[in-house]
């Protein structure tokens, strides 16, 4: 990977600055986090603002670390404007899926850039399916699609067990957003990358199957 693109730097900086503001100002955090009741009352800004808040520094670091590795792949394979469309489209779809899953839970709330980041991850994997990651604790390269699918499967576990004040549902909405928007922008992928398109659909199908079966 070449030098990090300025758009990636700006988004990471915005997440860090706004998240740290939220860490130290509960009123600010409460005003802009995703909350079902507030969104239903018309506070749609929370659909986007919650994506720049995080539960703690570890949550922030993991999301920005993931974004750092995947964002520039999308920017250079597509364009900066198309990257922003994927980022903010995935963020919105992540929040909307959370709203769908929790529409009857007035006080349900969540924060994090996970939806946007998951959309970027899915987009990058579709565009560059052979890419690998080197993780600190694993001495061998991990195929990026294994990371992406594993991330979503962990999210199912997080949703079922209500782990933390983190929008696990948003991971799926984001993945769906990144998946669909990328395929719309790059329809040639159906000719060159049909296997990866199918593999990345698996955890999304599992989620909706579990939801339909009443197990989510």
């Amino acid at each position: 990977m070449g030098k990090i693109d300025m758009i990636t730097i700006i988004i990471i900086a915005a997440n860090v600055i706004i998240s740290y503001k939220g860490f130290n100002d509960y009123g600010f955090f409460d005003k802009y986090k995703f909350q079902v009741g507030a969104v239903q009352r018309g506070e749609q800004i929370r659909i986007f603002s919650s994506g720049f808040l995080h539960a703690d520094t570890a949550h922030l670091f993991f999301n920005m670390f993931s974004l750092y590795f995947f964002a520039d792949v999308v920017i250079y394979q597509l364009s900066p404007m198309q990257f922003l469309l994927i980022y903010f489209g995935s963020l919105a779809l992540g929040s909307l899926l959370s709203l769908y899953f929790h529409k009857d839970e007035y006080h349900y709330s969540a924060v994090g850039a996970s939806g946007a980041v998951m959309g970027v991850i899915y987009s990058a994997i579709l565009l560059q399916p052979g890419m690998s990651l080197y993780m600190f604790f694993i001495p061998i390269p991990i195929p990026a699609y294994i990371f992406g699918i594993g991330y979503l499967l962990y999210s199912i576990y997080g949703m079922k067990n209500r782990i933390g004040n983190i929008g696990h549902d948003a991971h799926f909405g984001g993945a769906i957003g990144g998946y669909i928007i990328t395929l719309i922008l790059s329809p040639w992928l159906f000719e060159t990358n049909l296997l990866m398109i199918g593999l990345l659909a698996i955890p999304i199908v599992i989620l909706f199957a579990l939801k339909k079966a009443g197990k989510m």
Side-chain angles (χ1 to χ4, degrees):
M1 182 183 294
K3 68 178 183 178
I4 186 169
D5 192 89
M6 183 56 67
I7 287 178
T8 307
I9 294 172
I10 291 170
I11 288 179
I12 290 174
N15 271 277
V16 170
I17 292 166
I18 295 170
S19 291
Y20 270 88
K21 169 71 172 171
F23 294 157
N24 298 303
D25 183 345
Y26 183 75
F28 178 85
F29 184 90
D30 194 58
K31 182 178 180 180
Y32 291 109
K33 70 183 180 181
F34 176 86
Q35 185 178 52
V36 168
V39 174
Q40 290 174 339
R41 288 197 306 271
E43 296 179 31
Q44 275 84 18
I45 190 174
R46 293 174 184 256
I47 289 172
F48 293 97
S49 62
S50 60
F52 290 88
L53 294 168
H54 288 81
D56 51 41
T57 53
H59 184 208
L60 173 64
F61 174 79
F62 183 73
N63 274 336
M64 295 305 98
F65 180 75
S66 301
L67 183 64
Y68 168 78
F69 272 107
F70 290 96
D72 287 1
V73 174
V74 179
I75 291 169
Y76 295 132
Q77 293 271 340
L78 296 176
S79 72
M81 287 306 299
Q82 289 177 325
F83 165 78
L84 289 173
L85 178 62
I86 289 167
Y87 187 90
F88 285 101
S90 298
L91 175 57
L93 279 168
S95 293
L96 291 172
L97 191 71
S98 290
L99 188 64
Y100 167 72
F101 270 85
H102 301 282
K103 59 184 179 293
D104 298 322
E105 300 171 55
Y106 186 82
H107 295 291
Y108 175 84
S109 64
V111 294
S114 304
V117 173
M118 199 68 229
V120 171
I121 289 172
Y122 254 51
S123 178
I125 296 168
L126 283 170
L127 292 165
Q128 196 169 312
M131 66 186 298
S132 296
L133 296 178
Y134 288 87
M135 309 300 283
F136 293 133
F137 46 85
I138 302 174
I140 58 173
I142 303 298
Y145 71 90
I146 296 292
F147 176 83
I149 291 170
Y151 193 164
L152 282 195
L153 293 176
Y154 166 74
S155 297
I156 291 178
Y157 174 79
M159 290 164 66
K160 287 176 70 68
N161 294 280
R162 296 296 181 94
I163 297 174
N165 188 35
I166 297 169
H168 296 285
D169 323 73
H171 296 174
F172 278 92
I176 293 167
Y179 186 81
I180 292 173
I181 296 168
T182 301
L183 291 176
I184 291 171
L185 295 174
S186 309
W188 50 266
L189 290 169
F190 286 101
E191 297 178 14
T192 62
N193 203 5
L194 195 57
L195 176 61
M196 194 60 64
I197 290 172
L199 284 174
L200 292 179
I202 290 171
I204 297 171
V205 171
I206 289 172
L207 173 72
F208 285 103
L210 288 172
K211 176 67 173 176
K212 189 170 184 179
K215 296 181 179 179
M216 295 298 295

